[in-house]
Amino acid sequence: MRNFTSVHDVQDLNALVQSARTCKIFDPLQMKKGKGKTLGLIFMNPSLRTRLSTQKAGINLGMDVMIMNFSGEGWALETKEGVVMDGDKAEHIIEAAGVLGEYCDIIGLRSFPGLKDREADYSEEILNSLIKYSGVPVISLESATRHPLQSLADMVTIEEFKKVNKPKVVMSWAPHPRALPQSVPNSFVEWASKMDYELIVTHPEGYELSESFMNGVQIEYDQNKAFEGADFVYVKNWSSFEEYGKVLTTDRDWMISARKLRNSRDAKVMHCLPVRRNVVIADDILDGSQSIVVEEAGNRVCAAQAVIQEILKSL
Ligand code: AN0
Ligand code: CP
């Protein structure tokens, strides 16, 4: 594997999930795998989990890790090609990417969508330019349309907690006051539909995800019906794909609470975090035994480690 930007970069999904689980067992030899190699992590947006778990994964592999917050600390980047740069953008991604490639053996990039221009966001301009001009492997730390490290950690978490061979996994939209990307849900359906799960997506009308990610995954518009017999409920808000970037409803009835899950099979509740309490998920779930959100975040380390390890093999 050279780049890690989506599930399509993964040759053997089950092997990668297994490798992430193995990474949890301490092996002193793992510290040798990345010795002398530098991992650079570039953030255009805020982060807690992705930043620290990927840094920790690099450290566990013996790598040197450099982190830079571009928003505020970096030069304002121009991404369009062939433009006259006489505005407020001081540096072009062509040079910035090339320079990063001089300093780093692997680069991670977080860059959220603008949620205004669907075509621009879904073309993944920044991520693709970094791949094109850096000359080194690139890992997505959540791009405009996907969050593959999160999805890998999510698959590891389901594998760890599942009690039946083929669990019923329901991804549910939940309300949020602000417009959020489709990256996490896009990625989750892309990954979960490749696993041996009964996968159902539930959301209000108007929140349909792009068919290129859904690929025929079943939608159930009645959230209560979707939750019947569920083993896992994966909660996430996203803004509309159709009416691009819009918040169409904040209907409180879609919030996940213990009452909502009473017809599930004592479903484990997942969320990528950060989560707004009593808006997206109620306290009675987050403070109870059904929530596995912290364990899920913990799995971000072994997921990142498995991916970096795989890329190191290609260097
Ligand atoms: C981001 C999102 O929804 O994509 C990051 C989640 C990992 N969440 C927020 O901006 C709250
Ligand atoms: N889940 C996740 O990616 O969290 P951060 O935005 O804090 O990195």
Side-chain angles (χ1 to χ4, degrees):
M1 183 163 63
R2 179 167 170 89
N3 300 303
F4 182 73
T5 65
S6 83
V7 76
H8 307 298
D9 293 322
V10 180
Q11 274 187 334
D12 185 339
L13 176 51
N14 285 307
L16 187 64
V17 171
Q18 200 43 51
S19 159
R21 295 184 73 178
T22 309
C23 283
K24 289 188 172 189
I25 305 159
F26 179 72
D27 171 4
L29 286 179
Q30 76 186 17
M31 290 291 290
K32 293 216 168 91
K33 291 182 177 165
K35 253 270 124 351
K37 299 279 189 246
T38 300
L39 173 66
L41 305 177
I42 304 299
F43 287 85
M44 307 286 183
N45 316 94
S47 170
L48 188 168
R49 283 142 289 269
T50 305
R51 176 174 166 156
L52 296 182
S53 63
T54 314
Q55 181 176 19
K56 186 162 181 200
I59 293 169
N60 286 350
L61 291 165
M63 301 181 84
D64 294 312
V65 188
M66 302 195 296
I67 303 180
M68 183 165 174
N69 285 315
F70 248 67
S71 63
E73 290 174 28
W75 298 105
L77 278 188
E78 178 59 66
T79 55
K80 301 261 172 300
E81 298 199 6
V83 294
V84 177
M85 287 173 59
D86 58 356
D88 54 2
K89 307 276 176 64
E91 174 148 46
H92 203 284
I93 183 104
I94 297 176
E95 283 75 40
V99 170
L100 289 167
E102 292 284 318
Y103 304 154
C104 307
D105 298 288
I106 301 175
I107 304 171
L109 173 75
R110 164 160 288 197
S111 99
F112 285 175
L115 293 178
K116 297 212 158 39
D117 180 342
R118 184 166 93 178
E119 212 179 307
D121 287 346
Y122 274 69
S123 74
E124 293 283 11
E125 200 175 40
I126 298 186
L127 182 67
N128 288 331
S129 298
L130 185 64
I131 292 170
K132 187 170 171 192
Y133 297 113
S134 69
V136 300
V138 171
I139 298 175
S140 164
L141 306 174
E142 186 172 349
S143 70
T145 63
R146 292 179 171 99
H147 194 356
L149 282 177
Q150 179 66 51
S151 306
L152 174 56
D154 295 337
M155 299 309 116
V156 170
T157 309
I158 294 174
E159 289 305 298
E160 280 179 342
F161 281 89
K162 73 179 188 187
K163 294 199 191 104
V164 290
N165 273 340
K166 190 176 170 137
K168 178 174 175 182
V169 177
V170 181
M171 181 174 86
S172 178
W173 181 93
H176 193 282
R178 296 182 45 192
L180 298 186
Q182 292 114 30
S183 316
V184 171
N186 277 346
S187 237
F188 186 82
V189 289
E190 218 172 34
W191 286 69
S193 57
K194 287 199 177 340
M195 302 290 288
D196 191 20
Y197 303 151
E198 182 192 345
L199 178 65
I200 293 178
V201 176
T202 181
H203 56 69
E205 285 191 35
Y207 280 97
E208 292 76 13
L209 294 165
S210 163
E211 197 42 46
S212 58
F213 292 89
M214 286 292 281
N215 260 317
V217 169
Q218 190 194 332
I219 303 173
E220 171 54 69
Y221 292 101
D222 181 337
Q223 191 191 36
N224 293 318
K225 207 164 155 201
F227 288 163
E228 281 170 18
D231 296 294
F232 292 89
V233 172
Y234 191 86
V235 189
K236 185 69 185 86
N237 168 269
W238 62 89
S239 58
S240 174
F241 174 73
E242 199 50 47
E243 289 188 57
Y244 193 64
K246 295 248 167 6
V247 174
L248 305 178
T249 173
T250 52
D251 184 356
R252 284 290 176 109
D253 195 42
W254 278 79
M255 179 178 74
I256 311 304
S257 62
R259 185 183 57 82
K260 277 253 161 206
L261 298 185
R262 65 182 173 225
N263 290 328
S264 73
R265 269 195 284 205
D266 197 25
K268 292 293 182 203
V269 177
M270 300 174 67
H271 189 285
C272 64
L273 304 180
V275 66
R276 290 184 184 230
R277 280 177 172 251
N278 304 310
V279 174
V280 179
I281 305 178
D283 283 345
D284 60 8
I285 289 292
L286 286 170
D287 296 329
S289 59
Q290 280 175 272
S291 170
I292 53 170
V293 298
V294 173
E295 291 88 341
E296 180 186 357
N299 283 336
R300 293 292 306 275
V301 179
C302 67
Q305 208 171 309
V307 167
I308 297 168
Q309 205 169 272
E310 199 59 35
I311 294 174
L312 281 170
K313 284 187 203 161
S314 76
L315 292 183

